[in-house]
Amino acid sequence: MARLVRAPDYQPHVEAPMEPDPIVHDIHARQDDEAKYADGWDRPLCRLQQWVEPGSRFVPEPGRYHLWLNYGCGWSHQVLMLRAIKGLDRVVSVSHTGLGTAGQRGSDRFDSAYSVYNCNNPTYGRTQLTIPFLFDKREKVVVSNDPAQILLMLNTNAWDEWAAPDEKLDLYPQDLRVAIEQMNDIVYPGINDGVYRCWFADSDAAYDKAVARLYEALAAVEETLRSQPYLCGDQMSMADIRAFPHLIRFDTIYWTLVLREPRPPMLKSGDYPAIVRWLQQLHEHPKFRPTCDLALATRFYLGPQLSAAESDALYMEHKMDWMPGLDELVAKRAGEQLDSTRLYKVRKI
């Protein structure tokens, strides 16, 4: 038998190891959702993106930072949930705010997002007015208005000094970051932003494409949760924090607001038992339940079309059986000194 003779310089081919995703080691390397998932859909970038971190201009300190947000907004709800489960409600204060143009520039008494944005910059609030955003009370400046970035900076262990032992959680651990972002590839463009793509679709074709992607994403999430308790396995992660606020709003708000006749099924139709079970599990978490007020969120979204009473009736009709009734939510708002007629409270910070 002939013997194969290799040339002296022969080197067997070996596949080069894949480079790890940069986000595994550096959260700053994460690409903006608005840019990554644009796909012809124009959601502007959040233009204020500074970091609260040790050694920076903005160092973590208790009492220095303030969150401006609203119970209606799903992106705000993400931040409320992370703040709650990390125990940062004792460290980072919060106000529920409207998005009007009231308020005095340069004042420390704010009654709208506009007045906060413009307290340091007299023109910014005319060009981009979004919630949630993180405000530095010492320097009177908005640190960031990017909800994904706010989640990451509040999740770091730099805040653990002021946390109880059971609150020293890492919801974006290195070994799960790739999986979390892979889930975000489904959830962000398909559900979180996907409902807006349905709402603002400017043609039947665009709407049909957005609805198809929305229900493909719901099917993928349902399949995932049928085999595991959380979106990235056996432990809660940032993937769950990102998805919950938007899925909990689906039946009571998005189904009515963004979908056209004939509407596809609600989550509570029976087609999505794993999603509903996961929603209830997170809703009943003692840290998360106080962050939820879907009746107020329904008013926030449907207020232009419906009266407060009509919005409340819609909430009661479409809510899951395990969600609170109106009386419980009214008492909750009173305890928080929240003006439910205007959706926010005025406060001096």
Side-chain angles (χ1 to χ4, degrees):
M1 178 182 292
R3 184 167 61 90
L4 178 64
V5 179
R6 293 172 174 163
D9 60 349
Y10 171 81
Q11 294 292 329
H13 175 71
V14 178
E15 291 287 344
M18 292 183 64
E19 290 293 325
D21 192 310
I23 63 168
V24 172
H25 300 292
D26 182 10
I27 59 175
H28 299 78
R30 186 180 185 274
Q31 187 177 3
D32 291 340
D33 290 332
E34 295 82 3
K36 182 178 181 180
Y37 303 114
D39 191 26
W41 166 252
D42 183 22
R43 179 181 280 274
L45 296 176
C46 299
R47 295 196 296 269
L48 295 176
Q49 297 185 347
Q50 302 167 98
W51 289 84
V52 175
E53 56 190 354
S56 72
R57 173 187 175 189
F58 304 102
V59 298
E61 295 180 45
R64 176 172 174 177
Y65 300 99
H66 191 82
L67 280 164
W68 295 85
L69 37 72
N70 191 298
Y71 267 136
C73 169
W75 315 102
S76 292
H77 196 174
Q78 293 178 2
V79 176
L80 273 176
M81 289 178 69
L82 188 83
R83 172 179 175 266
I85 198 148
K86 293 276 292 182
L88 295 178
D89 46 346
R90 301 184 301 272
V91 179
V92 179
S93 51
V94 66
S95 284
H96 295 264
T97 180
L99 288 174
T101 57
Q104 296 182 353
R105 209 170 287 150
S107 169
D108 63 354
R109 185 171 182 84
F110 305 117
D111 58 4
S112 71
Y114 181 88
S115 61
V116 187
Y117 272 116
N118 283 5
C119 74
N120 187 269
N121 180 333
T123 62
Y124 189 88
R126 299 174 187 168
T127 60
Q128 188 174 51
L129 195 59
T130 61
I131 50 173
F133 60 90
L134 186 67
F135 184 72
D136 182 344
K137 294 188 284 187
R138 178 184 301 167
E139 297 201 21
K140 295 290 189 293
V141 63
V142 174
V143 179
S144 176
N145 65 352
D146 184 335
Q149 182 193 29
I150 294 171
L151 290 177
L152 292 179
M153 71 174 78
L154 294 183
N155 178 67
T156 68
N157 62 11
W159 301 93
D160 284 356
E161 179 180 349
W162 304 286
D166 63 341
E167 295 166 341
K168 296 179 181 180
L169 307 172
D170 184 1
L171 296 170
Y172 198 61
Q174 287 187 322
D175 62 334
L176 280 183
R177 287 180 187 177
V178 172
I180 289 169
E181 295 306 331
Q182 288 173 341
M183 180 56 64
N184 201 56
D185 290 343
I186 297 170
V187 169
Y188 180 92
I191 299 170
N192 296 7
D193 204 41
V195 292
Y196 293 94
R197 300 180 190 204
C198 296
W199 191 6
F200 297 114
D202 57 6
S203 68
D204 289 342
Y207 173 78
D208 291 343
K209 177 183 177 181
V211 169
R213 189 168 192 176
L214 168 61
Y215 276 83
E216 287 169 3
L218 291 175
V221 171
E222 173 68 18
E223 182 179 359
T224 298
L225 291 173
R226 286 185 178 184
S227 60
Q228 58 194 42
Y230 298 104
L231 288 176
C232 287
D234 294 332
Q235 68 184 78
M236 188 190 307
S237 73
M238 193 71 76
D240 302 284
I241 299 294
R242 290 172 179 168
F244 174 84
H246 305 271
L247 285 168
I248 199 75
R249 283 163 172 73
F250 190 83
D251 285 7
T252 60
I253 298 168
Y254 301 144
W255 190 84
T256 298
L257 183 65
V258 311
L259 298 179
R260 304 171 187 174
E261 297 289 355
R263 291 185 175 91
M266 287 182 167
L267 295 181
K268 69 176 185 178
S269 66
D271 293 345
Y272 302 96
I275 291 179
V276 172
R277 183 170 56 250
W278 169 83
L279 285 172
Q280 183 176 9
Q281 174 188 354
L282 292 184
H283 184 272
E284 297 307 313
H285 191 292
K287 293 280 191 177
F288 293 151
R289 187 179 177 92
T291 71
C292 300
D293 189 335
L294 269 293
L296 206 53
T298 304
R299 292 190 196 180
F300 178 82
Y301 277 97
L302 295 164
Q305 297 103 314
L306 303 177
S307 67
E310 290 170 329
S311 292
D312 288 350
L314 184 69
Y315 165 75
M316 291 300 295
E317 178 185 356
H318 289 171
K319 76 178 186 70
M320 310 283 185
D321 291 342
W322 38 265
M323 291 181 182
L326 296 175
D327 289 345
E328 180 180 337
L329 291 172
V330 168
K332 174 181 180 294
R333 292 170 211 151
E336 296 171 355
Q337 298 180 311
L338 187 66
D339 183 346
S340 58
T341 64
R342 294 191 295 172
L343 302 178
Y344 65 92
K345 61 183 177 183
V346 179
R347 63 179 292 172
K348 184 174 181 177
I349 63 170

